[in-house]
Amino acid sequence: MSPPANAVVFCVDEKSQCQALDRSQPVLPMTPGRPERQTHDYFRHGTTSLFAALNVKTGEVFGRCRRRHRAQDFLSFLRQLDAAVEREPGTEIHLVLDNYAAHKTAAVKRWFARHPDYRLHFTPTGASWLNQVERFFAELTNKRLRRGVFRSVPQLERAIRDYVDGHNADAKPFVWTADADLILRRVEAVCNETSNSGH
């Protein structure tokens, strides 16, 4: 919430298992007095995962689709992100991540050890909503994927890329509507629940 001066902060996460779904019947649009209607059954043509990094300062999203969701795919995404980030020498890059196992493998730790300008911040278990990129995923789902019809994975990936490009054309930073004290109290409550749950 208060990054160091001249630092770049990215909220990073994956939206895994995005499904290329095709309804068995066309979606019927809303008409006066009738809601939109769609069939309950569908054809599934495969899945993709979106790896995304949201720049906290600008609101821009760096996103890449991958067919798999493994540690090596996360590493590939990190390499692409590192190559794409424009920065002055010595600029720190802060990444906000969740506690997904792929973010903590030995290969990922080695990569970060070779890139000492990266600083990692993990959200508490059960509080991934703190990661601002989750808001972008919600918008992507609501505005592009939920009612979409995709007859192939490449068609789905093209729709995701187009949405990311459209978002970046008019990017705005995410603004918390709750004050910092309320957010920190919620995080503390989640941490207390987790530590007292016996897990």
Side-chain angles (χ1 to χ4, degrees), residues 92-105:
E92 290 183 359
I93 300 173
H94 292 254
L95 300 183
V96 178
L97 302 155
D98 62 15
N99 287 285
Y100 183 57
H103 300 162
K104 297 180 175 185
T105 63

Side-chain angles (χ1 to χ4, degrees), residues 77-123:
F77 174 74
L78 286 175
R79 290 184 196 107
Q80 292 172 328
L81 177 65
D82 186 58
V85 175
E86 296 178 13
R87 60 187 183 267
E88 300 292 324
T91 300
E92 290 183 359
I93 300 173
H94 292 254
L95 300 183
V96 178
L97 302 155
D98 62 15
N99 287 285
Y100 183 57
H103 300 162
K104 297 180 175 185
T105 63
V108 171
K109 288 178 181 177
R110 282 193 302 273
W111 190 89
F112 283 120
R114 290 191 305 270
H115 296 81
D117 48 338
Y118 280 81
R119 306 284 184 268
L120 304 181
H121 308 274
F122 292 96
T123 59

Side-chain angles (χ1 to χ4, degrees), residues 10-11 25 30 37 56 76 78 102 109 118 122 130 138 140 146-147 168-169 176 179 181 188 192 194:
F10 287 102
C11 292
Q25 298 289 321
M30 288 189 299
R37 291 165 290 160
V56 172
S76 175
L78 286 175
K109 288 178 181 177
Y118 280 81
F122 292 96
L130 285 169
L140 169 66
R146 180 161 290 138
R147 291 181 178 87
N168 287 341
W176 288 102
D179 67 276
D181 290 333
E188 185 178 2
N192 288 338
T194 304

